[in-house]
Amino acid sequence: MPVIKHPKIREPVFHEWDRKAQKSGLRHTVYAVNGDQYTGEWQDNLKHGKGTQIWKNTGAIYSGDWKFGKRDGYGSYSVPDPVTKEYKKMYTGWWQNDRRGGRGVYFYSNGEQYDGEWKKGLRSGWGKMHYKDGSVYEGQWLKDKPNGQGVLRLPNGNRYEGGWKAGKKHGPGKYFYPDKGQLLEGTWVADIPKCGALVDFERDNAAAPTEFPLPEIELHDPAAVLEEAWAMFDDNQN
């Protein structure tokens, strides 16, 4: 009786090629079609773990943690100087879903620096900002602008302590003039003081105090003032 042999079923060759191309674990430098290169760990064909990415177009480098193809965890981002070509660190800190998220320090190209919390790539939470004019703001942020409670210190020594909204002084606050020994305490709306009182504050230690101290305002108890007014009314009636 003849033996019928069935041909052995073989999987397509490209399936084998695809399995070999799948990246998992630590790999040497892998080049993308656009020229970008990555050296580090992979999982399920995605950057996952520790790794370093270099972008060809900008020359920027990220070195740190990855999670399923995105920067996530702790890492640093640097760019080459357009003149010297030396790498300058721009950001060091935490990342979430490929954007700055958590605590980190950002170095701006104009020399300014922010050290604080981030959310979705924007300054949000508590942070300290050093501006190029020498001013320093420390306090709460929301969507890249001072928002909440914070302190702004100016290069001349003056400072504002109080509320902020969308990057402007807003709400109850205090503005100190140490050189003159004065304090303005009141309420601000969109950077403009709407109402308040200017009083002397540590005038004896001021570098350039005003010629005369401000007169003190005597405050009265409203109930006592009303009682005195009724007494005067009764006297007039009699």
Side-chain angles (χ1 to χ4, degrees), residues 25-229:
L26 182 63
R27 297 288 293 266
H28 294 297
T29 303
V30 175
Y31 294 87
V33 176
N34 60 4
D36 296 345
Q37 50 183 293
Y38 172 81
T39 305
E41 297 176 300
W42 298 77
Q43 180 175 318
D44 297 332
N45 214 35
L46 295 173
K47 302 162 193 169
H48 189 86
K50 301 288 185 181
T52 300
Q53 168 94 10
I54 302 177
W55 286 268
K56 181 181 179 181
N57 288 340
T58 62
I61 295 179
Y62 170 80
S63 182
D65 296 325
W66 295 79
K67 187 175 181 180
F68 300 116
K70 296 182 178 180
R71 291 169 290 185
D72 200 296
Y74 191 86
S76 61
Y77 181 81
S78 304
V79 296
D81 186 275
V83 179
T84 65
K85 305 303 180 181
E86 294 182 358
Y87 275 91
K88 298 172 58 178
K89 190 170 292 184
M90 290 193 66
Y91 178 77
T92 298
W94 293 91
W95 300 73
Q96 292 178 350
N97 198 29
D98 219 32
R99 290 188 285 187
R100 293 183 292 275
R103 181 69 183 269
V105 182
Y106 192 93
F107 304 91
Y108 294 84
S109 58
N110 61 0
E112 296 182 344
Q113 177 182 322
Y114 173 80
D115 183 355
E117 297 175 297
W118 299 79
K119 186 176 182 181
K120 294 183 178 180
L122 301 177
R123 293 167 290 185
S124 289
W126 189 269
K128 188 174 184 179
M129 182 75 186
H130 294 264
Y131 297 96
K132 61 181 179 180
D133 65 354
S135 302
V136 178
Y137 171 82
E138 183 173 8
Q140 295 174 304
W141 294 75
L142 180 65
K143 295 182 179 179
D144 241 14
K145 294 182 179 180
N147 198 94
Q149 294 295 310
V151 178
L152 175 66
R153 294 180 173 84
L154 302 178
N156 61 6
N158 294 349
R159 73 180 188 274
Y160 169 81
E161 300 178 1
W164 296 79
K165 184 178 181 181
K168 296 182 178 181
K169 306 177 193 70
H170 195 90
K174 299 178 181 179
Y175 201 105
F176 295 84
Y177 302 89
D179 59 332
K180 296 182 179 181
Q182 294 181 335
L183 162 65
L184 174 61
E185 184 172 3
T187 301
W188 274 255
V189 177
D191 257 354
I192 300 175
K194 291 296 184 179
C195 62
L198 184 66
V199 298
D200 287 326
F201 181 80
E202 297 184 355
R203 189 172 185 274
D204 295 337
N205 300 325
T210 54
E211 184 177 359
F212 301 103
L214 293 171
E216 294 185 4
I217 300 175
E218 185 178 354
L219 300 178
H220 297 277
D221 181 6
V225 173
L226 183 61
E227 183 177 349
E228 183 179 352

